[in-house]
Amino acid sequence: MPSFENNPRYEPVKPVVETKTEFPQSKYYTEQPNPIGSYLGPIDASLPNADKVPLLFQPFSVKNLTLANRIVVAPMCMYSSKDGFFTDFHLVHLGSYALNGPGLIIAEATAVLPNGRITPRCAGLWSDDHIPGLKRAVDFVHAQGGKIGIQLAHAGRKASAHAPYYKADSSEFWPEQVVAPTGGLLWDHHHLTPRELTLNEIQEIIQAFGDAAARAHKAGMDTVEIHGAHGYLIHSFLSPVTNHRTDHYGGSLENRARFLLEVIKAVRDNFPAEKPILLRVSATDCVEHLEGPSWELEQTVQIAHWVRDAGVDVLHVSSGGNTAQQKIKAAPGYQVPYAARIKKEVPGLHVVAVGVIINGKHAEEVLEQEQADLVAAGRTFLRNTNFALDSAVELNVKAGFAQQYSRGRTIHG
């Protein structure tokens, strides 16, 4: 049998030489004449109330940010970073949403310090080196007419955990740098035992939130969301379940909220005043079955007034995550009543409802009943990146499509 090497027509493939040459043509984007997911009219004008624009597809504005619709992609950990860097995965992940029409995309929980990551594979924004990779994704979203924010976080006592689909070497973890308001209280036996933060360390973390907000702006983010939910550091300061401090960061509600309010100030001071700030909170620890004080809705309503006055524009209302003893009865819309209570009692603060929002009609009902101003979905988008455009079809809305995908419209929209 003749070999390729002896064939005179055979030319060995030359090894690819990596080059840093950038061609401007690679930055070309097709212009989208209408924001993807925006309302263009009814699909079937003969249907009852076809001339009425569903609330879900009405624009929403806060400060200088205007969204084409009221649908938000909630931040979801991807565990796909190394040393905090955003990668091509994030470009494709976030870009896929931009091509499918939600009003706002919020990038995953992004650590403000290395020891603030949940796992070694979580994203970070503690270095200027992280900005270029993040900016690639932001620029792509903006080129499609979309809007994007990022969730700034510190994992606190839930840090240095194992990523769900990556077996890290022991050298990649930081067991001595897992920190919390109060030391010795581990989340469960799968997590490490935290040590108590010193006052100096608290100030360093507050500054790190501000520095990360400045980097988010440099990357072009339209907004930032402070992560104050799900048992991570800010939530663990708020809750008496996890905060047993006896200094001015513990004890009374005012003291337990001090860390959050100082983080908000640092973020507000380092993020343009014309851009809005979001805050995600857990409305309750979901431990009503246990004796003793915990974080409850009444306290959330109180701090909602304080954070509004401190510079937060939008409150994203979730629940739980602070203790393994929680009991959560998840069902469609199970967290919506928390959002509704805050919206009713805290004027001047916009509210996002989240938690098993199953379809467009369900989201529309939440808005019609004035339970929230925006509706977010997380796992729903993981199952179906087309959730926003599918919701449009459910509500008889002809929504803006990416021009490249416009031939994919069905006869129904």
Side-chain angles (χ1 to χ4, degrees), residues 222-362:
D222 299 298
T223 184
V224 293
E225 178 175 273
I226 300 167
H227 198 349
H230 301 159
Y232 299 118
L233 187 59
I234 291 174
H235 184 181
S236 63
F237 264 95
L238 291 170
S239 174
V241 171
T242 43
N243 186 347
H244 302 169
R245 296 180 76 97
T246 56
D247 59 14
H248 59 291
Y249 286 104
S252 67
L253 177 59
E254 289 84 355
N255 282 356
R256 285 182 280 117
R258 188 183 307 277
F259 177 68
L260 167 61
L261 294 174
E262 291 180 355
V263 166
I264 292 169
K265 184 179 186 305
V267 171
R268 185 71 282 172
D269 287 349
N270 285 276
F271 199 64
E274 65 272 17
K275 290 185 176 184
I277 290 176
L278 285 73
L279 169 65
R280 196 169 200 188
V281 295
S282 285
T284 168
D285 282 340
C286 300
V287 292
E288 291 81 2
H289 58 290
L290 300 179
E291 294 184 2
S294 66
W295 185 250
E296 299 170 333
L297 181 58
E298 296 296 331
Q299 297 169 81
T300 303
V301 172
Q302 178 58 67
I303 68 155
H305 287 91
W306 296 344
V307 301
R308 175 202 60 193
D309 296 343
V312 169
D313 302 287
V314 183
L315 198 68
H316 189 172
V317 186
S318 187
S319 68
N322 196 42
T323 170
Q325 295 176 291
Q326 66 189 8
K327 288 187 178 180
I328 297 176
K329 297 179 181 179
Y334 74 104
Q335 293 175 150
V336 172
Y338 303 140
R341 170 79 180 275
I342 294 166
K343 179 172 171 56
K344 180 180 179 181
E345 296 194 21
V346 189
L349 182 66
H350 301 292
V351 175
V352 183
V354 67
V356 195
I357 304 299
I358 57 176
N359 55 39
K361 290 182 178 179
H362 183 196

Side-chain angles (χ1 to χ4, degrees), residues 119-197:
T119 79
R121 287 295 171 263
C122 287
L125 201 49
W126 63 79
S127 168
D128 287 352
D129 293 341
H130 293 139
I131 295 174
L134 179 59
K135 190 174 187 302
R136 286 185 68 211
V138 173
D139 289 348
F140 182 86
V141 172
H142 286 162
Q144 313 312 312
K147 303 296 182 182
I148 184 169
I150 190 168
Q151 187 181 68
L152 304 179
H154 192 295
R157 70 175 185 154
K158 296 174 81 172
S160 196
H162 288 273
Y165 31 78
Y166 172 76
K167 188 175 181 179
D169 183 79
S170 60
S171 63
E172 297 185 61
F173 296 94
W174 49 100
E176 303 302 320
Q177 294 300 320
V178 176
V179 295
T182 301
L185 303 176
L186 71 167
W187 199 85
D188 67 9
H189 69 279
H190 295 295
H191 288 76
L192 298 170
T193 302
R195 63 172 178 80
E196 184 167 309
L197 283 164

Side-chain angles (χ1 to χ4, degrees), residues 31-35 401 403:
E31 183 178 352
Q32 305 296 345
N34 300 296
F401 257 53
Q403 291 203 94

